């Protein structure tokens, strides 16, 4: 099953500069590829991680980012001390690896990993439940006009253990977003942490139902 969202080629790269976790971060992006652009939701999540280190301490935590795109969120989590696995579609891994390597080498306690993850596909093989123990799942702007929302929900469910905390930032654009949130609530307890009305963006914390994480 193809998971290539058109346009999907990375050409005419441009650079964006950011400052998080005490470091200058340079990101290579491409305007003709959805997954190779830094979206506002990623900036919201990076700022949240940086400014809430006491409540959401990343040091030595096992963290996976789904739909990592340019890798900015994964880079920030790595700079904050986490064991990070950054995932996305195969055609995005080259740029993702480049950005992560460029911005984390000799700067992080744990070297982040980059791994292919096509939502809903080969999850048991590539992320077996017995060995995939993530403290946090990070996701920024993974819900938009694509036909794989059910597979995304399956992926959240597969990766999430009883103690896993999901930190998820979403920009609301279409009715699909509201419907996905309703479906998500069937499996997870969802708490709105922050809201940015001018951007139509909300930041959520989620845990598997019937579990309360301190």
């Amino acid at each position: 099953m193809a998971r290539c969202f058109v346009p999907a080629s990375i050409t005419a790269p441009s650079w964006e500069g950011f400052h998080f976790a005490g470091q200058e971060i340079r990101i290579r992006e491409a305007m003709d590829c959805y997954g190779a652009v830094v979206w506002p939701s990623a900036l919201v999540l990076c700022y949240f991680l940086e400014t809430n280190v006491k409540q959401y301490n990343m040091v030595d935590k096992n963290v996976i980012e789904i739909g990592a795109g340019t890798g900015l969120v994964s880079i920030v989590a790595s700079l904050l001390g986490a064991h990070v696995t950054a995932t996305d579609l195969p055609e995005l891994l080259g740029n993702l690896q480049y950005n992560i390597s460029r911005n984390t080498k000799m700067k992080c306690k744990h070297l982040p990993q980059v791994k292919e993850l096509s939502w809903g596909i080969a999850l048991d093989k590539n992320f077996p439940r017995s060995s995939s123990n993530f403290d946090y799942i990070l996701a920024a702007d993974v819900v938009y006009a694509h036909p794989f929302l059910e597979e995304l929900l399956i992926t959240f469910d597969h990766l999430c253990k009883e103690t896993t905390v999901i930190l998820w930032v979403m920009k609301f654009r279409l009715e699909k977003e509201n419907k996905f949130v309703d479906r998500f609530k069937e499996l997870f307890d969802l708490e709105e942490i922050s809201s940015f009305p001018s951007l139509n963006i909300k930041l959520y914390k989620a845990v598997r139902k019937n579990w309360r994480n301190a």
Side-chain angles (χ1 to χ4, degrees):
M1 183 184 296
R3 291 295 172 86
C4 180
F5 304 133
V6 178
S9 59
I10 299 177
T11 58
S14 61
W15 294 88
E16 291 286 347
F18 306 93
H19 190 279
F20 288 107
Q23 297 288 336
E24 292 292 337
I25 301 171
R26 291 200 70 202
I27 295 294
R28 184 174 70 177
E29 57 179 8
M31 296 306 295
D32 58 356
C33 180
Y34 300 141
V37 176
V38 177
W39 298 100
S41 294
L43 300 179
V44 168
L45 187 49
C46 288
Y47 179 77
F48 178 81
L49 294 176
E50 180 184 50
T51 56
N52 290 272
V53 292
K54 290 185 179 180
Q55 186 174 3
Y56 300 94
N57 184 3
M58 294 285 117
V59 177
D60 297 331
K61 297 298 193 298
N62 289 319
V63 174
I64 185 169
E65 183 186 6
I66 62 175
T70 63
L72 179 61
V73 173
S74 288
I75 290 166
V76 172
S78 296
L79 292 172
L80 292 172
H83 291 273
V84 174
T85 302
T87 70
D88 215 313
L89 298 169
E91 65 268 21
L92 298 175
L93 297 187
N95 194 56
L96 176 58
Q97 180 68 70
Y98 178 85
N99 283 329
I100 286 181
S101 297
R102 188 186 190 282
N103 290 285
T104 62
K105 189 174 183 180
M106 306 299 291
K107 298 178 182 178
C108 295
K109 185 175 183 181
H110 308 289
L111 187 66
Q113 293 184 320
V114 172
K115 194 170 181 179
E116 176 185 342
L117 173 54
S118 297
W119 300 334
I121 295 179
L123 295 176
D124 289 320
K125 176 183 177 182
N126 297 327
F127 297 89
R129 290 181 185 272
S130 60
S131 58
S132 297
N133 298 301
F134 298 110
D135 299 297
Y136 290 97
I137 298 173
L138 306 179
D141 221 358
V142 293
V143 179
Y144 53 95
H146 62 74
F148 305 110
L149 294 180
E150 189 63 29
E151 288 83 355
L152 174 59
L153 187 62
I154 290 169
T155 302
F156 272 124
D157 183 52
H158 180 85
L159 296 173
C160 191
K161 297 286 183 73
E162 287 183 337
T163 56
T164 304
V165 173
I166 299 171
L167 295 175
W168 167 33
V169 182
M170 187 166 77
K171 181 176 178 67
F172 286 81
R173 303 179 180 89
L174 303 167
E175 182 60 26
K176 277 188 175 182
E177 281 88 351
N178 293 313
K179 291 181 178 178
F180 182 83
V181 170
D182 290 340
R183 287 280 290 116
F184 190 88
K185 287 179 179 178
E186 295 175 9
L187 298 177
F188 301 96
D189 288 326
L190 191 64
E191 175 188 352
E192 182 181 318
I193 298 177
S194 298
S195 179
F196 305 86
S198 63
L199 298 172
N200 290 325
I201 287 176
K202 293 184 178 182
L203 190 156
Y204 295 107
K205 171 187 173 181
V207 294
R208 189 175 285 284
K209 273 191 175 295
N210 301 320
W211 181 267
R212 295 293 184 272
N213 195 61

